Amino acid sequence: MPLKIVENFDSSFTLEPQCQEALFALLTGEVFLRQVCEGLQWQKVEFTELLFQPVPYSLITPKGMPADFEPYHESKDYTIINVPPNFMFNAKVFKPSRLCAVYQKIV
């Protein structure tokens, strides 16, 4: 089976205000922030309120993310995590089916 190369992928999306509010509440919950910190061995993190939809790997998007988000991937002061599927379900976010969130290390 040959590989299908994706030339263009529309990664834009819009969340309904109530879905975004519910998702942001989950992503900023104290227990979840503590889990993120433990996983990274950081003292404190803050959700930047930046979300993106992962994109297929290509020559233009070698990291699987929109190019605007690559500086966060390369920075030691930020981390990118996959939004847990149960958060997406609880916030009633079904389109897109996957999201990533950007967190900043707080010193």
Side-chain angles (χ1 to χ4, degrees), residues 47-100:
F47 176 48
T48 62
E49 296 189 357
L50 296 173
L51 297 171
F52 66 88
Q53 180 180 8
V55 298
Y57 295 96
S58 71
L59 292 174
I60 299 169
T61 58
K63 303 219 183 317
M65 63 185 68
D68 298 350
F69 289 90
E70 287 187 17
Y72 298 108
H73 181 268
E74 296 163 359
S75 173
K76 62 180 177 59
D77 294 324
Y78 290 89
T79 191
I80 297 171
I81 64 162
N82 287 310
V83 174
N86 60 320
F87 282 17
M88 301 277 289
F89 181 79
N90 290 339
K92 296 182 176 46
V93 176
F94 304 111
K95 295 277 183 188
S97 60
R98 293 179 52 222
L99 287 174
C100 293

Side-chain angles (χ1 to χ4, degrees), residues 6-70:
V6 177
E7 294 294 330
N8 291 322
F9 182 82
D10 183 14
S11 63
S12 62
F13 65 94
T14 304
L15 297 178
E16 295 293 325
Q18 64 273 22
C19 296
Q20 179 177 319
E21 185 179 328
L23 186 60
F24 282 17
L26 292 166
L27 293 171
T28 57
E30 206 173 303
V31 173
F32 185 68
L33 292 177
R34 201 171 23 238
Q35 289 176 339
V36 172
C37 286
E38 287 173 8
L40 297 167
Q41 298 181 345
W42 288 356
Q43 293 296 316
K44 189 173 181 183
V45 294
E46 180 178 77
F47 176 48
T48 62
E49 296 189 357
L50 296 173
L51 297 171
F52 66 88
Q53 180 180 8
V55 298
Y57 295 96
S58 71
L59 292 174
I60 299 169
T61 58
K63 303 219 183 317
M65 63 185 68
D68 298 350
F69 289 90
E70 287 187 17

